[in-house]
Amino acid sequence: MPKTWNLKIDSYFQANPNCIIATAHVDTFPTDLPLEPNIREPNRKSATYRQIFDSVTTQPEKFFSRHSGITLCVNKIKPNKNKTELELEVLEASEGGSDGIINGGHTVLAFEQAKTYKYDLTSARVKVTIHIGLVEDEAKDIALASNTTTPVDSRSKVNARGDYKFIKQYLASLEIEEDRKFRIAYYQNQSGAPRNAQCNVVHLLKLLYCLDRNKYNPDSNKRAKHPANMSIPSQISDTERERLTALLPLLSQALWIEQRLYEIIQEHISNPRRKGVNDLASIDIRKTTLLPDSKYSFGFGAPTDLALPIIASYRVFLDQDYKWILPFNEFAEDFLQHVWTNYFRKYLISEKTAGNTVGTKISRNQEIWESLYISAQSYLNQHLVKMVSSGKKREKLTLTSG
């Protein structure tokens, strides 16, 4: 059933058949309106929120002239007889609606806090623009255009356009299929989502990009040999969505590689050569790290891109159709132990000894990506030679037996 809110006003006028602009009372403004159309959730730690809160609490009588106003979307509007109130009918998302606060989430949060602290807001007014009967795309379009007071990150804009829907749908099916739960942040200040960078949807995209052996192929592409310094597009085109959709079945393996690497690092720092000493660069034992799969949390902090060069080396084992040349479960653990023992661990130790921190350097250093890629090629070639030799032996045994 649609919900209704009453908005106390001084006056209003019909800007067009589907839009009303009103002067509303702040002290009775409904603060529980849904944020469904907004492209990010309000952040009480932001400068925008603090400025609005200070403005409405210190000089409430001047708030109307100093504030740009709030934008809402509703299903229907009904003025009362005296035209002192507007009854707003709002359809919830479950009812197919996209009604609520399009722009002004920080403002409404400031109103709520001011009321909680018992500030006198009776003289405060705010301009409210109310759109009637917008479809989802129209509401999102206004939200994208309106949020200009503080920067909106590109991830939030991509999410507002609905470009992450195919990823959300895939993860939802994966949760059911593999009995797991993901914690992914798709937009700014998303409640219930961790701030840990590994749980950002952009990080998921990077994991997939690392396995794109067709785009990043040193043998055929001299300009984009490795996904070092990769840039995530601010708009996912149909071509890009098609490419990512083809890569999505590899996401489980990419997540496994990252999770397993972190387990190996956890084992390493839990059993150091010298007690109480961490010999790995950029591994901070005072912090914690959460991975996208909610089962995995670790007692150390690490650079977001730490696992990317290793994951990228696994693309050597993929064919042009993104199918594994060798069964993944048969080589994945052994190869990871191989690159950790023979290269990656030594690299982190040497950087620590030199007094360096890895940080973003790991995603920019072409040498790291190249070394791991060559190591993967050598590992694959050795396995293929063994397979051929084993096949010849079986053939000789068959001939002798015959």
Side-chain angles (χ1 to χ4, degrees):
M1 289 288 292
K3 291 186 177 181
T4 59
W5 280 266
N6 290 325
L7 189 66
K8 190 176 179 180
I9 60 169
D10 286 340
S11 60
Y12 74 91
F13 70 94
Q14 194 102 21
N16 67 45
N18 296 309
C19 180
I20 282 177
I21 298 177
T23 302
H25 291 226
V26 170
D27 60 336
T28 57
F29 196 94
T31 56
D32 55 346
L33 284 163
L35 269 167
E36 198 66 35
N38 210 297
I39 62 176
R40 60 179 173 186
E41 292 188 21
N43 177 10
R44 65 181 71 246
K45 294 181 180 179
S46 69
T48 300
Y49 166 78
R50 292 196 300 269
Q51 289 169 4
I52 296 170
F53 181 82
D54 289 344
S55 179
V56 77
T57 55
T58 56
Q59 292 184 298
E61 70 282 354
K62 294 184 178 180
F63 188 73
F64 183 87
S65 59
R66 292 179 174 178
H67 192 268
S68 59
I70 297 169
T71 305
L72 307 177
C73 174
V74 302
N75 187 47
K76 293 178 183 177
I77 295 180
K78 182 182 178 182
N80 67 353
K81 289 182 180 180
N82 300 326
K83 296 185 178 180
T84 56
E85 280 190 358
L86 297 175
E87 184 182 89
L88 311 179
E89 182 184 278
V90 170
L91 288 178
E92 296 185 279
S94 60
E95 300 170 306
S98 39
D99 299 336
I101 302 170
I102 291 180
N103 186 39
H106 287 97
T107 305
V108 176
L109 179 62
F111 294 171
E112 183 181 28
Q113 277 306 99
K115 292 178 189 179
T116 302
Y117 293 138
K118 308 298 183 184
Y119 281 95
D120 183 5
L121 304 177
T122 52
S123 62
R125 301 291 184 269
V126 64
K127 183 182 80 172
V128 184
T129 302
I130 309 169
H131 296 277
I132 305 164
L134 293 179
V135 298
E136 183 181 4
D137 288 345
E138 292 171 328
K140 295 294 185 186
D141 183 60
I142 294 173
L144 280 166
S146 301
N147 284 272
T148 54
T149 305
T150 54
V152 178
D153 66 12
S154 60
R155 171 192 52 164
S156 299
K157 294 178 180 179
V158 173
N159 183 67
R161 295 189 192 101
D163 288 354
Y164 291 142
K165 279 185 178 178
F166 75 105
I167 297 175
K168 293 176 183 178
Q169 290 169 353
Y170 182 81
L171 289 177
S173 63
L174 203 60
E175 285 183 334
I176 297 171
E177 182 183 335
E178 299 186 1
D179 190 24
R180 59 204 296 189
K181 182 68 179 174
F182 294 102
R183 45 190 174 199
I184 310 295
Y186 294 99
Y187 54 88
Q188 254 173 301
N189 310 325
Q190 182 178 332
S191 60
R195 294 185 179 274
N196 193 280
Q198 278 88 344
C199 298
N200 192 321
V201 67
V202 174
H203 183 65
L204 285 189
L205 294 177
K206 286 184 177 182
L207 297 183
L208 289 175
Y209 281 20
C210 282
L211 292 174
D212 193 345
R213 55 91 63 211
N214 293 327
K215 182 174 182 178
Y216 301 106
N217 188 343
D219 299 327
S220 60
N221 193 336
K222 294 181 180 179
R223 294 186 63 186
K225 293 176 65 177
H226 303 288
N229 264 343
M230 71 182 89
S231 58
I232 304 300
S234 57
Q235 186 167 355
I236 298 179
S237 63
D238 290 342
T239 303
E240 189 71 5
R241 186 180 295 104
E242 185 178 344
R243 184 168 73 93
L244 285 167
T245 300
L247 287 163
L248 271 175
L250 301 174
L251 182 59
S252 286
Q253 286 87 15
L255 291 168
W256 180 88
I257 298 165
E258 182 178 52
Q259 162 255 313
R260 190 68 190 98
L261 173 66
Y262 275 60
E263 287 179 338
I264 291 171
I265 292 173
Q266 184 83 69
E267 292 166 9
H268 178 86
I269 62 178
S270 298
N271 300 283
R273 292 179 180 178
R274 287 165 52 199
K275 192 173 182 180
V277 176
N278 166 36
D279 59 356
L280 303 179
S282 291
I283 301 301
D284 190 340
I285 56 176
R286 298 166 298 177
K287 297 181 179 179
T288 57
T289 298
L290 307 179
L291 294 188
D293 189 322
S294 62
K295 288 189 294 185
Y296 299 105
S297 303
F298 295 90
F300 63 89
T304 311
D305 295 345
L306 181 71
L308 297 189
I310 290 181
I311 293 171
S313 68
Y314 275 76
R315 73 191 191 278
V316 167
F317 302 93
L318 291 166
D319 62 20
Q320 291 181 341
D321 298 319
Y322 303 126
K323 303 295 182 185
W324 295 105
I325 296 171
L326 303 175
F328 183 81
N329 292 337
E330 292 182 13
F331 80 91
E333 173 70 21
D334 186 64
F335 174 66
L336 183 58
Q337 294 287 352
H338 169 76
V339 293
W340 167 253
T341 303
N342 296 302
Y343 184 79
F344 207 64
R345 178 179 61 87
K346 293 178 181 178
Y347 161 70
L348 293 178
I349 291 174
S350 65
E351 291 291 332
K352 179 81 171 188
T353 303
N356 300 327
T357 55
V358 176
T360 56
K361 176 183 175 183
I362 199 164
S363 63
R364 297 174 181 172
N365 190 340
Q366 290 278 346
E367 184 181 337
I368 298 167
W369 301 78
E370 180 72 16
S371 298
L372 289 171
Y373 187 85
I374 292 172
S375 178
Q377 281 185 318
S378 175
Y379 183 95
L380 175 61
N381 289 339
Q382 289 175 18
H383 268 255
L384 292 176
V385 168
K386 286 179 182 178
M387 288 170 65
V388 171
S389 299
S390 177
K392 287 181 177 178
K393 285 179 182 178
R394 282 198 298 270
E395 187 179 342
K396 286 181 179 178
L397 286 171
T398 302
L399 289 170
T400 304
S401 175

